[in-house]
Amino acid sequence: MKLSLAILLAVGWLAVGNLSAQQPQPAASPAPARIAVVDMEQVFQAFHKTKQADAELRRQAETFKGYADQLESSRAKLEQEFKELRDASQNLALSEVERESRRLAAQDKFRQLQAKEAELQQYDQDKRRQLREQYEKQRETLVSEIRRAVERQRLAGGYTIVLDASGRTLNNIAAVVTFDPAIDLTAGVIADLNRSAKPSKSADAPPPAEQ
């Protein structure tokens, strides 16, 4: 049996339609990225918790310095006593017995001086390391909190990415050369972070710091 021309044409159009439906459709173009900037250095310095952390570190450093000054005073006293005993041990106006007595005393005083110098050096190294570790830990905590505030501002503004406007290149050139102030999130991030800041009370005594 022969198919009519109309049926053949219909089958042909149907096949073409099926082939067209099977062809992959072009992917939708992604939405253009929305970029914002923030001055992380300015935010870090303006954050009220940064100022609190700095004040705490300064108090701790002053306490450490006070004790180190006491150690240095003791060391200087031992050094002076050692020099006096050493000079007396070489004084020909004294008897040989007296000079020997001063010499032995000078040796003992010198050992005390060395011990005090070692104590002072060890104390200085330990406290410097403690302050450095405390600073790095506090900075890490503060930066994490700042990043969360930046993320809140990014989401609220519908931005895709936020660049640090305070960053520098290897040639010490601003990484973000220029930008529209309308996309600067710095003020909003600072306001967000300092919203919970409590007014300072000058009458409050600083917490005691350990030696």
Side-chain angles (χ1 to χ4, degrees):
M1 180 182 296
K2 296 182 178 179
L3 296 176
S4 66
L5 179 60
I7 295 176
L8 288 174
L9 290 174
V11 173
W13 281 110
L14 180 60
V16 171
N18 288 337
L19 289 174
S20 299
Q22 293 174 4
Q23 294 297 320
Q25 299 298 317
S29 300
R34 297 193 63 217
I35 300 175
V37 299
V38 63
D39 190 321
M40 289 292 284
E41 180 63 24
Q42 182 180 345
V43 170
F44 187 81
Q45 296 300 330
F47 190 14
H48 72 279
K49 290 186 179 180
T50 300
K51 299 175 182 178
Q52 293 171 359
D54 287 345
E56 180 182 347
L57 282 173
R58 284 195 298 270
R59 286 194 298 267
Q60 192 74 66
E62 285 299 319
T63 300
F64 293 159
K65 183 179 182 301
Y67 187 71
D69 288 344
Q70 294 179 24
L71 291 176
E72 171 57 27
S73 178
S74 298
R75 188 209 65 79
K77 182 180 179 181
L78 287 170
E79 183 178 28
Q80 181 61 32
E81 292 172 349
F82 161 71
K83 289 180 178 179
E84 292 174 355
L85 289 169
R86 181 197 60 191
D87 293 344
S89 70
Q90 300 171 356
N91 187 356
L92 297 179
L94 299 177
S95 67
E96 184 176 349
V97 174
E98 290 175 328
R99 291 201 303 272
E100 179 64 14
S101 175
R102 301 297 194 280
R103 186 184 68 81
L104 294 176
Q107 289 180 346
D108 181 62
K109 192 64 65 174
F110 183 70
R111 285 192 291 268
Q112 295 178 40
L113 175 59
Q114 286 183 315
K116 185 60 66 175
E117 289 177 341
E119 180 184 0
L120 176 58
Q121 183 178 14
Q122 187 63 51
Y123 180 83
D124 182 70
Q125 292 176 353
D126 290 345
K127 296 312 176 184
R128 284 179 183 273
R129 182 175 61 254
Q130 181 177 336
L131 287 174
R132 183 172 60 253
E133 291 174 352
Q134 184 177 346
Y135 168 79
E136 292 174 353
K137 182 178 180 181
Q138 289 179 339
R139 182 179 178 84
E140 182 179 352
T141 300
L142 292 171
V143 170
S144 295
E145 192 165 346
I146 291 172
R147 287 175 65 90
R148 290 194 294 270
V150 173
E151 177 66 5
R152 289 193 294 270
Q153 293 293 313
R154 184 189 72 80
L155 293 174
Y159 294 103
T160 310
I161 186 172
V162 179
L163 303 177
D164 180 9
S166 66
R168 313 291 293 184
T169 67
L170 294 178
N171 294 325
N172 199 30
I173 300 173
V176 180
V177 179
T178 185
F179 56 87
D180 188 335
I183 65 170
D184 188 356
L185 305 182
T186 303
V189 172
I190 293 175
D192 184 347
L193 290 168
N194 290 336
R195 188 173 294 115
S196 62
K198 297 180 181 179
S200 60
K201 298 180 180 179
S202 57
D204 288 348
E210 64 178 66
Q211 292 185 354

